[in-house]
Amino acid sequence: MARAVMIDCDPGIDDMMALLTICASPELDLRGVTTVGGNVGIALTTRNARSVLALAGRGDVPVAAGAARSLVRSPVSEKEHAHGDDGLGGIVLPEPPGTVDARPAAEFLAATVAAATEPVTLFAVGPLTDVALFYAMYPQVAARLERLVVMGGSIGAGNMTPAAEFNVWFDPEAAHRVLTDPGVRVPTTLVPLDVTRRTGLGDADLAVLAGSGPIGALTAQALGGYRHGLGAVTPVHDAVAVLAVLHPELMTTRPARIHVDTGYGPSRGSTVVDLNPAPAGGPTVDVVVDADHRAVVGALLDRVTSLDRRV
Ligand code: BDR
Ligand code: CA
């Protein structure tokens, strides 16, 4: 039986890759998508999520919009948008059918998880605001999650500031709540920047994607502009989090205790990942510390190009 999943996202070019990977995976049964403000504002992340689902032939999947801003303090950045003004690098996607679910993301997550007859795995690949609200408002329902899989944080350097990764930097208080003090026991996997930034698509990979058909071509076009100045590879951070569920054997995972810096100094939004946690203390999360990067890229390409073979 396929695994029931949901995803909270802020598309976002690599979020698009994550959504397409889920849609291309028969082992995953996508029950709903929620959106959060992050890479771009909530109106655009919601429209983008719905358009990407329509592109993948999954316009039937319900989408609910979540938090427009972070819980406590809106982050300020001088950096230009890595994902372009519209969040998807200017590609033209189909007009999504239907309407956005009227419920706020936290309520929609709770209703969907409560209605499921089996435990649901939740991917969180944007700022953790919606998940923190879900945990705070519906702890008994959240406790029924099979697992939360987060793309975010870093063991080493950040990408928004020298210390902080974007998703945690955007809403550190939400990340603190979800990763260190959830109030509920949810098995949690953290897929940090250290691993995802080493799992990038090179020119040959983008050519494979571009050659697969219209879906691959649009995805390659979006990814082409998303290099973050990293040189030869285009990262697909959020899609790596999906692969952590589809192919755990390609990743090395260790339990760790996380500290999120919620102070207002230069390391705000950074994560301290203690890979040698003492037995006593707060909850641990399973942190992906390494991956077979080429195998992960190969698996992602297989999945996403399969969407073009379907149509
Ligand atoms: C994360 O930040 C966002 O820009 C990406 O979509 C990804 O979720 C990487 O740091
Ligand atoms: Ca994202």
Side-chain angles (χ1 to χ4, degrees):
M1 202 176 75
R3 181 194 296 260
V5 299
M6 300 182 77
I7 180 168
D8 184 72
C9 56
D10 62 336
I13 293 168
D14 58 322
D15 304 70
M16 173 182 182
M17 190 79 177
L19 283 165
L20 293 177
T21 304
I22 293 174
C23 291
S25 299
E27 312 93 313
L28 304 180
D29 175 8
L30 181 57
R31 301 289 174 90
V33 174
T34 54
T35 55
V36 63
N39 284 321
V40 283
I42 189 71
L44 283 172
T45 61
T46 305
R47 188 203 67 187
N48 290 346
R50 296 173 66 230
S51 295
V52 170
L53 289 168
L55 178 71
R58 292 304 314 272
D60 59 302
V61 174
V63 177
R69 51 159 293 181
S70 42
L71 289 179
V72 175
R73 195 194 207 202
S74 292
V76 180
S77 170
E78 304 288 308
K79 282 195 176 180
E80 57 187 66
H81 288 303
H83 301 255
D85 289 343
D86 65 353
L88 291 179
I91 61 170
V92 179
L93 289 180
E95 205 44 51
T99 52
V100 179
D101 193 287
R103 291 166 287 185
E107 188 182 334
F108 174 77
L109 282 165
T112 310
V113 171
T117 50
E118 63 286 271
V120 173
T121 295
L122 174 60
F123 296 105
V125 298
L128 286 160
T129 323
D130 289 344
V131 182
L133 290 169
F134 171 39
Y135 281 15
M137 294 168 71
Y138 305 98
Q140 280 152 0
V141 182
R144 292 172 55 179
L145 286 173
E146 175 156 39
R147 183 164 284 272
L148 173 74
V149 182
V150 174
M151 188 281 129
S154 63
I155 302 169
N159 57 356
M160 270 320 283
T161 71
E165 180 279 332
F166 178 83
N167 287 339
V168 176
W169 169 85
F170 198 92
D171 196 341
E173 283 78 11
H176 169 83
R177 175 74 190 243
V178 171
L179 297 174
T180 75
D181 181 19
V184 289
R185 284 278 169 180
V186 179
T188 299
T189 299
L190 184 72
V191 186
L193 185 64
D194 316 69
V195 169
T196 63
R197 71 179 356 160
R198 283 185 276 134
T199 312
L201 274 59
D203 287 339
D205 303 316
L206 290 174
V208 168
L209 201 51
S212 76
I215 298 175
L218 277 167
T219 311
Q221 190 189 335
L223 283 167
Y226 181 55
R227 287 211 163 155
H228 277 319
L230 284 180
V233 295
T234 303
V236 285
H237 310 283
D238 296 343
V240 180
V242 177
L243 251 282
V245 169
L246 289 168
H247 282 292
E249 78 284 0
L250 298 180
M251 318 235 167
T252 307
T253 302
R254 287 176 54 191
R257 198 158 287 128
I258 311 288
H259 172 83
V260 179
D261 186 339
T262 55
Y264 293 140
S267 54
R268 177 170 168 80
S270 64
T271 44
V272 176
V273 178
D274 181 0
L275 289 162
N276 297 299
T284 59
V285 305
D286 301 315
V287 177
V288 176
V289 293
D290 200 4
D292 181 341
H293 304 289
R294 278 314 303 168
V296 170
V297 167
L300 288 171
L301 287 177
D302 271 358
R303 303 263 170 177
V304 175
T305 57
S306 78
L307 289 168
D308 278 315
R309 294 193 289 277
R310 266 190 216 172
V311 289

